[in-house]
């Protein structure tokens, strides 16, 4: 069966329960929604409600790691994609930083996303059918790979995409070994229970700059200091093929990679079909569909 790709216009935004992009600093807000909406059946997810994340060892086999590494290498080197808006390059080196909507560019990634060992993890946490809100491949080359500053994904998806509630999860699948030294992801366990409003209004087409380096929609240093002192910081390390599933409101970030060891991953964002996008809560217009999808077709369809 062939499914047609359709764009659905967002509905009018409901009352904003997570105000952000403020003109003056606002207090941190307690989360108003559950973390686990369904029933956890996979042992690896047992602490997801408490921590806001869970690591899954050996999600991919070594053969699959090799195959997907070749596939993302093909995408990064595809000359037909060099001028495609879905390809984001580093500010300084102009090397490929991310490729978005990768599940539409790669049949192999699309098939992987549908598998029960992948989408099934999201269904357990979100308690519903899911669709792909965003997919991308992240490349962090050796020596000059640029990290991502501390942020909550939900803050951006709420403000700029119109995601009503933090009923979404991200799955980062490692295609290279993640060491403490090569820019692996840092997370604050438990921080998903605190929403941090950010300062500054959102300019038109803000995504064009933020995908290279985000300056609006990020917490202040005081915010990060408070959260770090409250929750601490952990780091996701592990061999290629392992994965990290984490809540959309979890505070996370990564440092630059100045080692010779590259780091790359497939990044899949699953949103509940009961949490579909409305008008942005703090932006003049929704971001393009390749960044925040409005095709709400369940992966099980």
């Amino acid at each position: 069966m062939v499914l047609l790709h359709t764009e659905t216009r967002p509905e009018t935004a409901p009352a904003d329960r997570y105000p952000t992009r403020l003109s003056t600093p606002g207090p941190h807000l307690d989360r108003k929604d559950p973390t686990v909406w369904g029933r956890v059946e996979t042992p690896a997810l047992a602490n997801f409600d408490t921590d806001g994340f869970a690591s899954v060892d050996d999600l991919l086999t070594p053969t699959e790691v090799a195959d997907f590494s070749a596939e993302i290498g093909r995408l990064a080197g595809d000359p037909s994609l060099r001028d495609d808006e879905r390809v984001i390059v580093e500010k300084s080196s102009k090397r490929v930083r991310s490729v978005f909507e990768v599940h539409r560019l790669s049949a192999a990634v699309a098939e992987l996303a549908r598998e029960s060992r992948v989408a099934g993890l999201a269904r357990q946490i979100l308690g519903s059918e899911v669709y792909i809100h965003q997919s991308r491949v992240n490349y962090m080359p050796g020596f000059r790979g640029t990290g991502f500053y501390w942020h909550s994904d939900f803050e951006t998806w709420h403000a700029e995409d119109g995601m009503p509630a933090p009923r979404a999860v991200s799955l980062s699948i490692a295609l290279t070994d993640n060491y403490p030294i090569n820019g692996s992801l840092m997370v604050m366990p438990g921080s998903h229970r605190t929403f941090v409003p950010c300062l500054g209004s959102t300019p038109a087409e803000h995504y064009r700059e933020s995908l290279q380096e985000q300056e609006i929609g990020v917490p202040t240093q005081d915010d990060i200091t408070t959260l770090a002192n409250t929750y601490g910081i952990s780091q996701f390390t592990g061999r290629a093929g392992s994965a990290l599933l984490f809540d959309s409101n979890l505070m996370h970030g990564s440092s630059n990679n100045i080692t010779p060891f590259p780091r790359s991953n497939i990044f899949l964002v699953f949103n509940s079909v009961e949490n579909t996008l409305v008008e942005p809560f703090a932006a003049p217009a929704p971001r393009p569909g390749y960044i925040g999808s409005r095709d709400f077709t369940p992966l099980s369809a």
Side-chain angles (χ1 to χ4, degrees):
M1 177 175 64
V2 177
L3 294 176
L4 298 179
H5 172 56
T6 58
E7 288 288 332
T8 304
R9 293 185 63 81
E11 300 174 1
T12 302
D16 187 356
R17 297 181 297 126
Y18 297 97
T20 188
R21 310 291 168 99
L22 308 177
S23 58
T24 57
H28 294 179
L29 304 175
D30 291 336
R31 184 187 183 113
K32 299 175 175 65
D33 294 280
T35 301
V36 176
W37 299 70
R39 184 177 65 184
V40 170
E41 299 173 349
T42 301
L45 304 184
N47 293 325
F48 192 93
D49 187 52
T50 300
D51 295 336
F53 67 90
S55 58
V56 182
D57 295 332
D58 302 320
L59 183 69
L60 300 183
T61 67
T63 298
E64 289 174 321
V65 168
D67 290 343
F68 281 108
S69 295
E71 178 72 348
I72 70 164
R74 178 188 69 80
L75 293 174
D78 187 343
S80 69
L81 293 176
R82 289 303 292 183
D83 295 323
D84 194 303
E85 281 196 324
R86 293 173 290 186
V87 177
I88 311 300
V89 297
E90 297 277 6
K91 258 188 173 181
S92 55
S93 69
K94 302 304 180 184
R95 298 170 76 172
V96 175
R97 175 179 174 88
S98 301
V99 177
F100 279 80
E101 211 172 42
V102 68
H103 71 292
R104 297 199 181 280
L105 295 171
S106 168
V109 173
E111 182 178 348
L112 176 66
R114 289 180 175 275
E115 292 189 22
S116 59
R117 61 174 164 159
V118 176
L121 298 175
R123 291 189 189 100
Q124 289 180 53
I125 298 299
L126 302 181
S128 69
E129 288 298 336
V130 299
Y131 70 94
I132 294 182
H133 171 71
Q134 183 187 103
S135 72
R136 66 180 187 264
V137 174
N138 291 327
Y139 305 84
M140 186 178 281
F143 297 112
R144 295 187 178 275
T146 306
F148 294 84
Y149 189 71
W150 290 105
H151 65 285
S152 152
D153 290 326
F154 174 65
E155 192 280 338
T156 295
W157 300 340
H158 183 69
E160 300 187 35
D161 296 338
M163 183 177 289
R167 194 176 177 180
V169 293
S170 299
L171 183 68
S172 176
I173 306 173
L175 297 180
T176 51
D177 291 340
N178 282 255
Y179 305 111
I181 57 174
N182 69 337
S184 60
L185 198 67
M186 295 180 289
V187 299
M188 296 188 184
S191 61
H192 63 297
R193 297 187 180 278
T194 300
F195 180 78
V196 179
C198 295
L199 295 172
S201 61
T202 310
E205 298 189 338
H206 174 238
Y207 66 92
R208 296 188 184 278
E209 289 75 36
S210 67
L211 295 180
Q212 288 184 319
E213 184 179 4
Q214 187 170 359
E215 296 181 350
I216 296 173
V218 294
T220 66
Q221 292 184 2
D222 286 343
D223 290 327
I224 293 303
T225 300
T226 298
L227 291 178
N229 286 331
T230 301
Y231 298 112
I233 298 174
S234 298
Q235 194 167 29
F236 170 57
T237 58
R239 58 178 175 266
S242 57
L244 184 74
L245 184 76
F246 60 97
D247 181 86
S248 59
N249 191 49
L250 186 73
M251 194 62 67
H252 62 286
S254 60
S255 57
N256 294 345
N257 181 14
I258 60 172
T259 75
F261 310 117
R263 187 173 72 84
S264 60
N265 66 298
I266 296 172
F267 195 87
L268 303 170
V269 179
F270 299 99
N271 188 27
S272 168
V273 297
E274 299 173 8
N275 190 42
T276 53
L277 308 187
V278 296
E279 291 291 342
F281 287 88
R287 297 190 299 175
Y290 67 85
I291 304 173
S293 177
R294 291 176 177 83
D295 178 4
F296 307 136
T297 306
L299 288 179
S300 60

